[in-house]
Amino acid sequence: MSDAQLLSFAAHGNGPCFVRVTEVWVLDETGTRLVLKDGLYGDLENFAKVSGNESFAFGEGLPGKAWAEARPVVLKGFQGSYFKRTEAAEAAGLTAGIALPVFAGEDLKGVVTFFFGDDAEHVGAVEVWASAGERSDPLKLEDGYFGTAEHFGWISRHTEFPHGQGLPGQAWASGRAVLFEDLGASHKFLRAESAAKAGMTAGLGLPISAPNPAPHVVTLLSALDTPIARRFEIWEGSAGAGFIRIAGADEHGNPLPEQQDVSRFETGAGVLGTVAATAIPAAVEMTSSAGSAVVALPILSDGKVVQIAAWYF
């Protein structure tokens, strides 16, 4: 699949998205600091400028903390914290962030950061689930950001997922990304009733590959009015056939139609193929009159990319 096909097949919407900024940070040539590789900032030009001039040492700032702790890190409220871009973030109306590290074995490939705003209609969820490590130990909510979906957040804080159950449990057990469609009606989604009340439509579970003894899973739960993205996809590596799309949903939580010309890509070809070849995440604008952007996150097993989880704005 070429970038042109990827772009033409991406869904577009007009409303606001739950995630307002996405960044990808990678190690510099010395391997001692994280520098900005990609950024999706929308109209937040000053925050983009400040971020482009920033870098982070091991343990420094939100990206550096995720690097040092080898786990996803959520930060709600920047004032008085370790966050380095507080003034620019607050001027941009950003109120919370999360950083996801991507490791291939012990090697850091990148850190993906998401930032959120805060308004009366901001509904959705980005959750971090963790287990003590044994299969008998369930996943519990370590942290998360829910916007105004306070009741759903309360339900999540009082829910546990055994190995293999629910969206987080399935991602943990399989070591693969998992996509749930139509959350409010899904018998597989253990919080379906509260998801329906909150207007949530689709859920993406992402196992985090990191040298941390405690398994971590990040879930992105999209709502119709403020979706995480306009479209979600999971691509699976297949011997001799590049990567094949095995799951997809639009912002309404509906399955994507099958289209042969956009259902596979070769390693090294285009945005997704480059992520598959390098294991380095991407968050890039794609030029067109309609405008579109893609975030691509590699899912690794034993240091190798086995899947790409992608979402489009």
Side-chain angles (χ1 to χ4, degrees), residues 5 9-10 12 23 25 65 68 73 116 129 139 151 153 162 175 185 191 241 244 258 268 280 299-300 306:
Q5 289 172 314
F9 200 54
H12 302 283
E23 302 170 327
W25 299 86
K65 190 174 179 65
V73 175
F116 315 95
W129 300 86
L139 289 170
H151 178 70
R191 296 169 287 166
I244 298 172
E258 289 296 329
I280 298 173
I299 307 299
L300 292 95
V306 294

Side-chain angles (χ1 to χ4, degrees), residues 1-7 9-10 37-38 231-237 242-247 262-284 286 293-299 305-312:
M1 181 180 66
S2 68
D3 284 353
Q5 289 172 314
L6 181 153
L7 177 60
F9 200 54
K37 170 184 174 284
D38 297 329
R231 170 189 177 89
F232 302 90
E233 296 174 341
I234 298 175
W235 299 81
E236 180 89 21
F243 279 70
I244 298 172
R245 194 182 75 200
I246 61 168
V262 291
S263 62
R264 66 182 299 273
F265 67 83
E266 297 292 341
T267 300
V271 174
L272 301 188
T274 300
V275 173
T278 63
I280 298 173
V284 296
M286 306 191 72
V294 58
V295 179
L297 185 76
I299 307 299
V305 177
V306 294
Q307 284 185 329
I308 303 291
W311 50 100
Y312 306 84

